[in-house]
Amino acid sequence: MSNESSKAEQEQVDTVVEGEILTADEAETGTDGAGLMDELTQANFRIEELEQALAESQAKVEEQVDSVTRAAASEANIRRRAAQDVEKARKFALEKFANELLPVIDNMERALQGTDAEAEETKAIYEGVELTLKSFISTVDKFGLKVVDPQGEAFNPEHHQAIGMQPSAEFPANTVMMVMQKGYILNERLLRPAMVMVSQGGGSVDTKA
């Protein structure tokens, strides 16, 4: 075999070997690329799963915060209503009892009207009843019981009950000219209206209300 033939054969062998080496390198490179893509895809899936889990957790937290806020508001409303009920009960628990006391006050006032404060035989009685009445009124006043005595005031249908009207040159029209029976208010609530005679102004005709 000549040198030229040997050289040609050697070149063919080198070419085949080199081709096989390149093919092996390309195959290895392709395999690594596919593996990297799989890892990236799995990482993306994992990121999506974590983001979804985070979103769900945030939604649950917001729901719980809203629930706690609503519960706190509801509790505050319950406390406020309970406080209002207690205050109302405190103010008006004595209403029935106070109504029972009004005739006692009326009787002591009638006793004063029927007793002469200047006469020696009744002076002591008058002073005793007067002192008792003042003490009694002062005591009930501490519990919110107020007297409605509108003599000379404008007629107020919310607190006064007119039993009649009379012409009067002394009192302007629609003015209380006489109080037949005092009224009473307990903590801003009317217990009993004052029974009054109302001035009709000038004139001479009586008109019953």
Side-chain angles (χ1 to χ4, degrees):
M1 184 180 294
S2 64
N3 291 333
E4 291 181 357
S5 297
S6 297
K7 184 177 182 181
E9 291 177 358
Q10 184 64 39
E11 288 178 353
Q12 290 179 357
V13 172
D14 292 341
T15 301
V16 171
V17 172
E18 182 178 357
E20 291 177 353
I21 293 174
L22 290 174
T23 302
D25 290 341
E26 290 174 355
E28 184 178 355
T29 302
T31 302
D32 292 344
L36 181 60
M37 288 299 295
D38 289 342
E39 291 180 0
L40 289 175
T41 301
Q42 292 177 1
N44 287 333
F45 285 154
R46 182 57 178 164
I47 290 172
E48 291 178 359
E49 290 177 355
L50 292 174
E51 288 178 345
Q52 184 177 357
L54 177 60
E56 292 175 355
S57 297
Q58 290 176 338
K60 289 182 179 179
V61 169
E62 291 176 358
E63 182 179 354
Q64 291 175 352
V65 169
D66 182 67
S67 177
V68 171
T69 301
R70 290 177 181 274
S74 177
E75 182 182 0
N77 289 333
I78 292 173
R79 288 180 179 274
R80 184 175 66 254
R81 286 196 296 269
Q84 291 174 348
D85 291 343
V86 170
E87 182 65 15
K88 288 179 181 178
R90 185 189 68 80
K91 283 184 176 181
F92 304 115
L94 294 177
E95 184 172 344
K96 184 176 180 180
F97 181 64
N99 272 312
E100 296 295 329
L101 294 179
L102 298 187
V104 178
I105 298 175
D106 293 339
N107 289 334
M108 284 192 287
E109 289 180 341
R110 292 190 188 99
L112 290 178
Q113 293 172 359
T115 305
D116 187 356
E118 301 301 327
E120 288 296 329
E121 60 273 16
T122 59
K123 185 176 181 180
I125 297 176
Y126 183 92
E127 291 177 350
V129 174
E130 183 182 39
L131 182 62
T132 301
L133 178 60
K134 287 181 179 179
S135 177
F136 198 86
I137 294 296
S138 176
T139 299
V140 296
D141 180 75
K142 295 177 181 178
F143 294 92
L145 187 66
K146 306 294 182 182
V147 180
V148 179
D149 187 8
Q151 178 72 30
E153 298 178 3
F155 176 72
N156 179 1
E158 293 184 359
H159 292 164
H160 311 154
Q161 182 176 344
I163 62 173
M165 297 183 70
Q166 290 183 355
S168 173
E170 181 181 357
F171 295 94
N174 206 42
T175 300
V176 176
M177 57 184 296
M178 186 182 303
V179 178
M180 307 324 206
Q181 186 182 65
K182 295 177 183 178
Y184 290 89
I185 294 175
L186 178 63
N187 293 314
E188 309 304 324
R189 177 183 292 183
L190 183 67
L191 281 182
R192 187 181 75 184
M195 309 292 287
V196 300
M197 182 68 70
V198 182
S199 171
Q200 200 176 28
S204 59
V205 180
D206 293 352
T207 304
K208 294 294 182 182

